[in-house]
Structure formats: C-alpha cells, structure tokens
Amino acid sequence: MNEIQLEQVVFEPGKSFKLFSPRLRNTFLWHYHPEYELVYVEADAGIRHVGSHISGYTQSDLVFIGGNLPHLNFDYRLRSDYHQVVIQLREDFMGGAISMSPEFSVINQLFKRSASGIAFNGNTKAIAAQRLKQLQNLSSFGQLMELIDIFQFLANSTEYQVLNGDDLSLRFFLKDKIRMGAIYEYIDANYNRKPDVNIVADKVHLTTPAFCRYFKRQTNMTFTDFVNQYRIDMAKNLLMQDKNITETCYAVGFESLSYFNKLFNKIVGKNPSEFKRSWPDSNAQLH
C-alpha cells in the first residue's frame, strides 16, 4: 500500500518561489507540502484530486492549493501531450507583507481560502493562463511582480469553486493507506466497458461493502456516480474532437442514448448538442 508522501520542495538560493513544468504522468504522486502551489495544466482530460474533492477537468485546469493540503499530480494518467506550469511558494512568501500590509488584504484572503483548494474557470482561467505561460520570459524580479499581480487578479475574481469544506483534517489523509492509484487505473482502463466494483475492491484488498464506504468517504460520490462522471468527462473530450453524439455515447460505455443525454445534461448543465455547439466559443477563450 502507498502512503501519502511529504514532498520536499527545494528552492534556488535567493528565491521565494519555484517555477517549473513537471512531467509525472506515469506516477501516482498523492502528496502534500507546507508550501502554497498554483497549478495550470492544458490537457485533453485529466483527474483533479485535491483533499477529499475528486472530479475531472477537460482541456485545462487552474487550481490554487494551500499548504499541507493533500493532492494528486494533475498530469496523472494523461494520454496525449500536455503543458503544465507549477508555481510553489514558500510558507512565508513575501515575509509578513501579505498578512500585514493593507494593500495585500484581498490577496491575503485568497491565500486563506486556498487552504480548501480553489479551482478557477471562465475568462479568469484563460487570462491567468496566458500570463503564467509568459513568466519564464521575465527576470526573477519581474516574475515576482507579475505573480503578485496575478494573485491580485485571481483574488478579485468571482469565477472560482472552493473544492473542499471546512472539515478537512490532514490527520485523516495521513492515516489513509489505500492505493487510490489502483482505483484510478482500473476506472481509466474500464470506464468504456462495465467497471465492476467487486473487482476494484479486491484490487485494494477490501470487501465490497468496506470499499463502497471508503470510496464514498473519500469522494462524496458512489463508485457508480464517479464512473459516470468520468465517462461524461471523456465524452466532452470526444465531442470537442468533433465526434458525433451517438458514437460518443457508445465509445464511453453507455448503452442507452437517451440515458447518456439525460446524464450529460445533469452533470454538464446542457445537453450534448448544446455543448457541441458552444465548444468553439469555449475553445476561443482558452487559447
């Protein structure tokens, strides 16, 4: 069984943050660290697992994670090529300036909210992404100034989702030794067929009832609901690749087109046809 890992973040001398582009798609890195982390990733579709929150992202994701909040690497199990920008900030980033200077009061609130994990969307994500991708072209001082301005921009946005409630307990995650990687691997390999809860329970050495309780506690979703969520995320990706609705339905494992349409509408907020029509506009915002 794999335990959660404490990542040792190493900063260059004289730097208060670390800017890099990790490539860990074949590694299940369920980890935490005292440092803050801002992650932007562009990919067809991936898994977002922050604290007890698990969901999928499509095309891109922008998440701000507070210190000691457990999370999975965002490039885990990605199939196609991808681009990632990760910024890790010292616990005392900017010394006491952010918490003490009134000019930074909005940013200070953002940093406090990050303890639960924050995912940004819409124009906020698109604009911040472009700025983050240009950071490497700036001097060290320029990067710091731009980062502060990006945080100010994010702090004033209303286009975000808080990923976890206030009842997070690091102690709970530290005690957890179940290999979520094995669960993800099984779902990823079988979502388009008929994933069997009994098989995946056996893979992580739990009885089926114990696994169902564990999975619900970890994800706030049943195994079936999570698989359906994963299928819909894959379906969104296929629709954006100009696949038609019928072939998409069967390609991701649904046997009923009417049920696929109903579930897609419930999860996405629009039916597959509406989503397909709106995709060019959404794509224009991302690039």
Side-chain angles (χ1 to χ4, degrees):
M1 294 295 181
N2 286 346
E3 296 188 23
I4 186 171
Q5 299 180 41
L6 169 61
E7 180 185 353
Q8 300 290 342
V9 178
V10 178
F11 295 93
E12 294 179 23
K15 296 274 287 190
S16 58
F17 63 93
K18 179 180 180 181
L19 171 64
F20 63 116
S21 299
R23 308 286 290 186
L24 297 168
R25 76 163 111 202
N26 296 319
T27 302
F28 179 82
L29 186 59
W30 175 231
H31 65 291
Y32 70 102
H33 41 73
E35 295 78 12
Y36 297 93
E37 184 169 287
L38 182 63
V39 180
Y40 174 71
V41 57
E42 287 180 355
D44 286 344
I47 295 170
R48 177 201 292 149
H49 187 176
V50 179
S52 61
H53 174 96
I54 300 180
S55 58
Y57 65 85
T58 306
Q59 294 299 302
S60 66
D61 205 19
L62 176 63
V63 179
F64 188 33
I65 301 167
N68 290 324
L69 179 59
H71 54 285
L72 180 67
N73 47 308
F74 287 74
D75 58 349
Y76 176 65
R77 298 289 288 173
L78 293 182
R79 297 177 188 77
S80 58
D81 196 21
Y82 62 98
H83 177 68
Q84 189 168 205
V85 179
V86 176
I87 298 162
Q88 294 175 326
L89 313 164
R90 293 185 185 274
E91 299 170 77
D92 58 347
F93 178 65
M94 296 291 292
I98 287 180
S99 60
M100 297 179 65
S101 301
E103 291 83 358
F104 288 144
S105 60
V106 179
I107 295 179
N108 188 37
Q109 291 303 310
L110 173 71
F111 273 57
K112 288 181 177 179
R113 289 200 305 274
S114 73
S116 297
I118 308 169
F120 294 91
N121 53 67
N123 285 325
T124 298
K125 179 173 67 172
I127 293 170
Q130 293 303 318
R131 296 177 68 176
L132 289 170
K133 287 189 284 188
Q134 295 302 316
L135 280 175
Q136 61 183 357
N137 300 322
L138 303 176
S139 67
S140 182
F141 180 79
Q143 289 176 348
L144 178 61
M145 294 298 99
E146 176 68 353
L147 265 180
I148 292 172
D149 201 52
I150 289 172
F151 282 126
Q152 179 76 5
F153 171 68
L154 295 177
N156 283 297
S157 172
T158 58
E159 296 178 308
Y160 69 87
Q161 173 192 4
V162 176
L163 300 180
N164 292 275
D166 298 328
D167 58 349
L168 274 180
S169 170
L170 179 59
R171 185 179 305 167
F172 168 78
F173 291 106
L174 289 174
K175 288 182 178 178
D176 179 41
K177 297 178 176 63
I178 299 298
R179 293 190 66 185
M180 286 299 293
I183 299 172
Y184 289 142
E185 286 178 350
Y186 178 77
I187 293 173
D188 184 68
N190 294 278
Y191 72 89
N192 57 341
R193 291 186 279 272
K194 290 185 177 181
D196 188 328
V197 68
N198 299 296
I199 293 176
V200 73
D202 184 63
K203 281 182 176 290
V204 293
H205 310 295
L206 289 172
T207 65
T208 299
F211 170 79
C212 290
R213 290 192 298 270
Y214 164 77
F215 194 84
K216 182 69 180 289
R217 186 174 72 245
Q218 283 289 88
T219 67
N220 292 317
M221 300 173 73
T222 66
F223 180 74
T224 299
D225 286 343
F226 183 81
V227 169
N228 282 337
Q229 172 79 56
Y230 197 83
R231 284 170 163 172
I232 295 300
D233 285 330
M234 295 299 112
K236 288 163 63 178
N237 184 45
L238 291 175
L239 291 171
M240 288 185 289
Q241 293 176 16
D242 211 27
K243 301 291 184 182
N244 68 49
I245 295 168
T246 300
E247 66 180 328
T248 295
C249 166
Y250 296 119
V252 298
F254 291 102
E255 298 177 348
S256 165
L257 185 59
S258 61
Y259 179 66
F260 169 68
N261 286 324
K262 180 180 179 181
L263 188 65
F264 192 101
N265 188 63
K266 179 182 178 181
I267 292 174
V268 181
K270 57 183 71 173
N271 64 43
S273 297
E274 293 170 330
F275 176 82
K276 196 171 176 63
R277 285 196 300 269
S278 69
W279 164 238
D281 294 332
S282 301
N283 189 41
Q285 289 183 356
L286 288 172
H287 299 285

